[in-house]
Amino acid sequence: MTRILLVEDNEMNRDMLLRRLSRRGFEVLTAENGKAGVELAASENPDLILMDMSLPVMDGWEATRRIKANPDTSRIPIIALTAHAMASDRDMALEAGCNDYDSKPVDLPQLVRKIERLLTTPH
């Protein structure tokens, strides 16, 4: 079963995505802030990470940089999820090391296509 780490501080968004992705057959782990996301990435080695960028304790940009700088977690694809929908926000997420970007509110079929593409494409 594909394991996804969802790093999201908003409880309603986290619960909604957890339920919807679980129904699609994914095992979903959750973290409420960037620091916890970095720690879970290292300890649980998920297949993919969905990273909110505006997070408490450690933001998603820094969490992504730390995950990509760690040789044990650098291969894990990361999709940035953010309400910031400007082209510059996408560029910042990619520069931090995210493999893809999606804006909120989440379009689940589109997000699942991105997840499946990243899971089947070498990076």
Side-chain angles (χ1 to χ4, degrees):
M1 179 180 283
T2 300
R3 294 173 31 152
I4 295 176
L5 172 58
L6 170 61
V7 186
E8 169 64 61
D9 65 326
N10 181 291
E11 183 177 354
M12 190 164 50
N13 289 343
R14 191 174 55 245
D15 289 344
M16 180 270 302
L17 274 173
L18 184 144
R19 284 185 282 109
R20 294 175 79 189
L21 291 169
S22 295
R23 280 195 298 258
R24 297 268 182 143
F26 297 107
E27 179 183 351
V28 183
L29 312 167
T30 62
E32 297 177 11
N33 62 65
K35 182 177 183 293
V38 171
E39 292 168 357
L40 270 176
S43 66
E44 298 298 326
N45 200 20
D47 299 297
L48 183 133
I49 298 172
L50 298 175
M51 180 73 74
D52 184 14
M53 302 314 279
S54 299
L55 294 166
V57 183
M58 178 189 300
D59 66 39
W61 290 279
E62 181 60 25
T64 297
R65 285 185 202 98
R66 291 187 186 198
I67 290 167
K68 292 297 185 176
N70 180 341
D72 294 332
T73 57
S74 63
R75 62 139 193 91
I76 302 171
I78 300 175
I79 298 176
L81 293 180
T82 179
H84 304 285
M86 304 286 288
S88 60
D89 297 313
R90 181 182 189 282
D91 293 343
M92 284 177 53
L94 297 178
E95 287 173 14
C98 292
N99 300 82
D100 207 335
Y101 166 94
D102 210 5
S103 61
K104 296 179 184 175
V106 170
D107 175 336
L108 191 64
Q110 175 180 288
L111 179 60
V112 170
R113 283 192 299 275
K114 289 182 178 186
I115 290 170
E116 290 172 347
R117 182 181 53 78
L118 284 172
L119 291 173
T120 58
T121 304
H123 31 267

